[in-house]
Amino acid sequence: MVVVAGAELFTGNNLLVMAWADGKITTVDVLRNWVLVCVANFLGAVGLAVLVFASGHTDLNGGAVGQQVVKIALAKQNLSWDQAFFRGVLCNVLVCMAVWMTMAGRSVTDKAVAIVLPITAFVAGGFEHSIANMYFMPLAMLIQQFGPPTPGAAQVTWLGTMQNLLPVICGNLVGGSVLVGLTYHLVYRRGERTGRRHATCYANSAQRPKPRKMSAELRCTMRIGTSRGTRSPSQTTGALASSIPSVVPATTQA
C-alpha cells in the first residue's frame, strides 16, 4: 500500500542515501526527511493503535487477540540492545529490497508480487521493524490501561518502548541505507563509469577521419591514362587531388 499509494515510510526512505551519494540531494535534505517521516510515522502508528483499540478488535475471541498483542510487545521490549539492533538490520535489508524490486514492476500486480516474498520473510523471521513496533507497543499499553486485565500487561512501559525503538531504528538505518542503498549505488555507479568509458572510446573511434574511396570514374581514368602513357605521375596525382573534396575550412583557405 505504501509503494502503490505513494505514501512515506521511514524504513523505505532509507534508500534516499542513493540520491545523496549521487550528489542529487544534500545531507540536510536526507536527515530532514528521515526525522519528519519517522515522527509522522510514529504519530500515525499511535493513532492507528487508538483506532484499533477503540474498535474493540483486541476483545475478539474472548480477549485472546489482546493477549497476543501484549505477548508480542513484551517479547520486543525484553530484547537486548544488540539483538534489537541486528534484527533491525536484517528487517530493513528485506524491506528495502522489496522497495527496490518494485521499481522493476510496471503494473500494480508486478509490484505486489515483488513485495510479498521479502516482507513475508522478515515477518516470519521475527525481525524488528521500527514502525511496526511503534504500533504494537502503544496498543499493548492501551490494553493494559483500559482493557480487561491481561497477565503481564503492566510490564509494557514507555521506557521499555524507547529502549526497543532506539536500537531498532539504528539497525533499520544500517540495513536499508548501507547494506542496500550504498551497496547498489556502488554497483551501478561502477557499471555506469564502465559504460561511459566504452561510449567515449566508441565516440573517439567514430570521429576519426575515414579513408575516402576512389570513385570508379577516377580509377578508370587512371587505368586508361597509365596504359596509354598519356599521364605523368604528377598529372595523376593532380587529378586525384582535384577529385577529393577539400576538408580545409573556408577561413583557412582564404
Side-chain angles (χ1 to χ4, degrees):
M1 291 176 64
V2 171
V3 173
V4 175
E8 296 290 321
L9 184 66
F10 168 73
T11 49
N13 284 14
N14 290 168
L15 290 176
L16 285 175
V17 74
M18 302 177 74
W20 169 81
D22 206 33
K24 295 181 179 179
I25 56 177
T26 65
T27 303
V28 175
D29 293 333
V30 175
L31 295 178
R32 178 177 175 273
N33 179 276
W34 285 350
V35 170
L36 291 178
V37 173
C38 188
V39 171
N41 288 166
F42 177 77
L43 296 175
V46 173
L48 180 60
V50 172
L51 290 175
V52 171
F53 179 77
S55 71
H57 175 74
T58 56
D59 297 331
L60 294 177
N61 198 17
V65 174
Q67 293 177 10
Q68 186 64 27
V69 170
V70 173
K71 182 180 178 180
I72 293 173
L74 283 172
K76 293 177 178 296
Q77 181 177 269
N78 293 331
L79 290 173
S80 63
W81 202 95
D82 57 329
Q83 286 178 325
F85 174 80
F86 287 112
R87 290 188 187 186
V89 171
L90 293 170
C91 169
N92 215 29
V93 166
L94 292 171
V95 170
C96 287
M97 282 301 303
V99 175
W100 179 258
M101 290 191 296
T102 60
M103 297 180 182
R106 297 185 177 181
S107 66
V108 174
T109 303
D110 296 340
K111 296 178 185 297
V113 171
I115 288 175
V116 167
L117 290 179
I119 301 303
T120 302
F122 105 72
V123 174
F127 301 143
E128 294 292 304
H129 191 283
S130 57
I131 310 305
N133 292 1
M134 292 176 186
Y135 164 78
F136 274 107
M137 311 293 272
L139 182 58
M141 286 186 279
L142 286 172
I143 294 171
Q144 74 178 10
Q145 186 70 27
F146 302 105
T150 306
Q155 300 177 24
V156 181
T157 63
W158 280 111
L159 177 61
T161 300
M162 292 300 108
Q163 289 176 342
N164 171 269
L165 288 179
L166 288 176
V168 171
I169 288 174
C170 292
N172 289 164
L173 281 169
V174 172
S177 299
V178 179
L179 298 185
V180 178
L182 287 180
T183 298
Y184 272 106
H185 171 78
L186 292 175
V187 169
Y188 282 94
R189 186 68 173 174
R190 181 178 179 181
E192 181 183 350
R193 290 174 178 174
T194 303
R196 287 177 178 176
R197 286 200 301 269
H198 292 167
T200 301
C201 293
Y202 178 80
N204 291 339
S205 63
Q207 292 173 358
R208 294 175 183 172
K210 297 181 180 179
R212 297 181 180 275
K213 295 182 179 181
M214 189 181 301
S215 64
E217 181 181 357
L218 178 59
R219 286 198 302 269
C220 181
T221 302
M222 292 179 62
R223 191 181 302 114
I224 294 174
T226 303
S227 60
R228 292 180 178 179
T230 57
R231 290 179 180 267
S232 64
S234 59
Q235 291 174 328
T236 303
T237 303
L240 177 61
S242 63
S243 66
I244 299 176
S246 175
V247 296
V248 180
T251 54
T252 307
Q253 292 177 348

